[in-house]
Amino acid sequence: MPSRDNIHVIVARYLRDNAYNSTLEAFKEELGLEDDMIPIPSDHSMTLESIIEQKRLYDLAMGIQELDIKADTQNQWVVPSPTFKSVLPDQLSNILFVSVANLSMPTSIDDPSAGTSVRPCILVTEADRSLRIFDFYTFDPLKVYTHLHSSPILTLEVLDENTIMTGGMDGRLVVSKPATGEITAEQKDHFKYLVKIAISKDQKYVATVGYDKKVHVYTIERSETEPPKFNKIGSLSFPTNPEAAAFTYQDGDDEIPKLVISRRDSTFLYYYKLQPNLIEFARHNLNPESNSWVSFCAMDIALDPTEQKYLGVATSSIPHMRFMMLESGNDAILKNSFTRAPQDAYSTSRITWRPEGSGIWCNGDDGLIRGVEVSTGAVVAELKHHQGKVKAIYAGKVDGKEVVVTGGFDKTVAVWEVEKR
């Protein structure tokens, strides 16, 4: 049976929904379509109207970009940016998540009694449920853990050099030590995939996002002698799966952050206060024109790394991802640009800010990593290596130098740097 987004199905739905019955019968006979092959469209199905509207918005965005590029000469894409590529030599499976962090790891791989040292490491999670840790400079494999979760790990956050948190398809939130793999704490509040872990900048609050249509929010108690302890503030339930979450600070309140959440089949961002309990206090529409033919959601939300007040948003728009930027807590959309990154209804859109905030990197189903200049919304850089979908992307600094790490369904991990190794 053809997919919902098959062009013949889209045309047939259009003919049926507009009562062009004789034309529809001729079309079905010509192509051999049956009635059960022409389903009722869901909210995220493509239609002829949505395709035309997306094309109109794309042309409009391209025109605005050209004007912006001519008018804006400040705050442009900082150069040099990472362009030199190295590839991890190990044989891997499909890559689900990548990150880079300073971790306390054994100084000798072969000697269990050896001491530890803090060094930059690459963390990789794979479809075989493993977490692999590599030395950033030598690419030596330091540790491989397969016991942390009973199914693949979808998301990971580093609390400090001795503590990492992982979330998996088993719905568990697991805290472990990277040097030994010892599990020190865990929560099992989701009964389906745990797809996102969000941590406040002061590391006092954690939110977990699950495909059981739930978001759970906790405070973390940590000490030098005791394992981390999670205290649940509350839980949120949604009519569709939540996709992304981030902690933000507004109105000069640096004590208690706010939580912003997106969900499937909704163009809104939902804002919640954390104390004394979870209360929604605002929702902002990413599609203020409320055009019924445009249906998307925010698939990823990232707070800017410098001023900590701008939200970068990657949308589920088909056939190309859109990048939006807005000030947290404000309805005004500051940037709305097409990234040209192809995707479909099953893609996982991801963005990550450059460390100095001049741009973002985004993934795509064609294997390219695209760099978007925030001041103009224009695509100004491309990193070419992967064959097929790029699932994971990280950007940050190692010893003061900018790096990008990417992983895909071609079972490779690429490391991009500003200087050749």
Side-chain angles (χ1 to χ4, degrees), residues 342-356:
Q343 57 184 16
D344 57 32
Y346 305 101
S347 300
T348 305
S349 314
R350 290 290 179 261
I351 60 170
T352 182
W353 287 86
R354 295 188 66 193
E356 79 301 309

Side-chain angles (χ1 to χ4, degrees), residues 196-207:
K196 173 73 176 181
I197 302 171
I199 306 178
S200 62
K201 66 180 181 182
D202 58 9
Q203 297 190 341
K204 293 181 179 179
Y205 298 91
V206 172

Side-chain angles (χ1 to χ4, degrees), residues 4-308:
R4 287 176 176 269
D5 296 335
N6 179 282
I7 188 62
H8 297 145
V9 171
I10 293 172
V11 173
R13 285 205 317 257
Y14 177 81
L15 295 174
R16 181 196 61 196
D17 296 345
N18 289 275
Y20 297 129
N21 297 326
S22 59
T23 305
L24 174 60
E25 292 304 318
F27 188 70
K28 287 162 54 182
E29 182 178 357
E30 183 74 19
L31 293 172
L33 291 175
E34 301 293 340
D35 287 338
D36 60 359
M37 297 179 180
I38 312 172
I40 300 297
S42 66
D43 289 342
H44 58 269
S45 294
M46 291 177 65
T47 65
L48 283 179
E49 292 89 351
S50 69
I51 293 171
I52 292 171
E53 179 65 15
Q54 288 285 350
K55 180 62 169 62
R56 184 188 71 80
L57 291 174
Y58 179 83
D59 291 341
L60 178 63
M62 291 301 102
I64 292 173
Q65 279 188 19
E66 290 179 2
L67 292 174
D68 282 347
I69 292 170
K70 293 176 182 178
D72 194 338
T73 57
Q74 297 181 342
N75 302 319
Q76 294 180 341
W77 182 264
V78 173
V79 292
S81 62
T83 55
F84 294 99
K85 178 188 71 176
S86 305
V87 180
L88 265 62
D90 283 50
Q91 182 69 35
L92 307 173
S93 59
N94 287 343
I95 309 303
L96 302 180
F97 193 91
V98 295
S99 187
V100 176
N102 289 323
L103 300 178
S104 178
M105 299 298 292
T107 56
S108 172
I109 300 174
D110 301 321
D111 184 3
S113 63
T116 61
S117 63
V118 176
R119 71 186 89 171
C121 297
I122 302 171
L123 299 96
V124 180
T125 75
E126 304 175 49
D128 64 0
R129 84 168 193 243
S130 65
L131 166 64
R132 296 177 185 266
I133 303 176
F134 299 86
D135 183 280
F136 178 84
Y137 288 114
T138 66
F139 291 167
D140 288 337
L142 303 178
K143 291 290 181 179
V144 180
Y145 299 125
T146 60
H147 69 285
L148 300 178
H149 292 263
S150 59
S151 56
I153 298 169
L154 301 176
T155 183
L156 181 152
E157 291 290 342
V158 176
L159 283 176
D160 57 47
E161 62 197 37
N162 293 301
T163 312
I164 59 176
M165 294 196 301
T166 51
M169 293 177 70
D170 56 7
R172 293 166 60 233
L173 173 67
V174 173
V175 182
S176 62
K177 295 182 178 180
T180 63
E182 177 190 354
I183 296 175
T184 58
E186 64 177 283
Q187 293 287 128
K188 181 63 172 75
D189 289 329
H190 293 283
F191 59 86
K192 287 188 178 180
Y193 300 174
L194 195 168
V195 299
K196 173 73 176 181
I197 302 171
I199 306 178
S200 62
K201 66 180 181 182
D202 58 9
Q203 297 190 341
K204 293 181 179 179
Y205 298 91
V206 172
T208 60
V209 177
Y211 273 6
D212 53 0
K213 302 179 183 179
K214 300 282 189 182
V215 172
H216 301 293
V217 184
Y218 314 86
T219 58
I220 315 176
E221 292 183 16
R222 300 169 62 197
S223 70
E224 295 183 0
T225 58
E226 298 292 330
K229 181 180 179 181
F230 294 90
N231 300 303
K232 186 185 289 187
I233 295 175
S235 301
L236 301 168
S237 298
F238 296 93
T240 56
N241 284 331
E243 282 291 351
F247 287 100
T248 71
Y249 293 83
Q250 301 168 16
D251 304 324
D253 183 2
D254 291 332
E255 295 298 322
I256 301 177
K258 311 297 189 296
L259 180 66
V260 56
I261 297 171
S262 69
R263 65 176 177 86
R264 276 282 180 179
D265 299 330
S266 172
T267 58
F268 284 86
L269 296 181
Y270 301 86
Y271 289 81
Y272 292 86
K273 294 180 180 179
L274 304 186
Q275 300 289 356
N277 47 44
L278 297 178
I279 300 175
E280 181 185 339
F281 69 93
R283 59 177 66 181
H284 296 157
N285 194 355
L286 297 178
N287 184 27
E289 295 181 0
S290 298
N291 190 312
S292 61
W293 302 119
V294 179
S295 180
F296 63 85
C297 72
M299 289 290 292
D300 200 13
I301 304 171
L303 189 65
D304 82 275
T306 52
E307 298 188 57
Q308 296 279 299

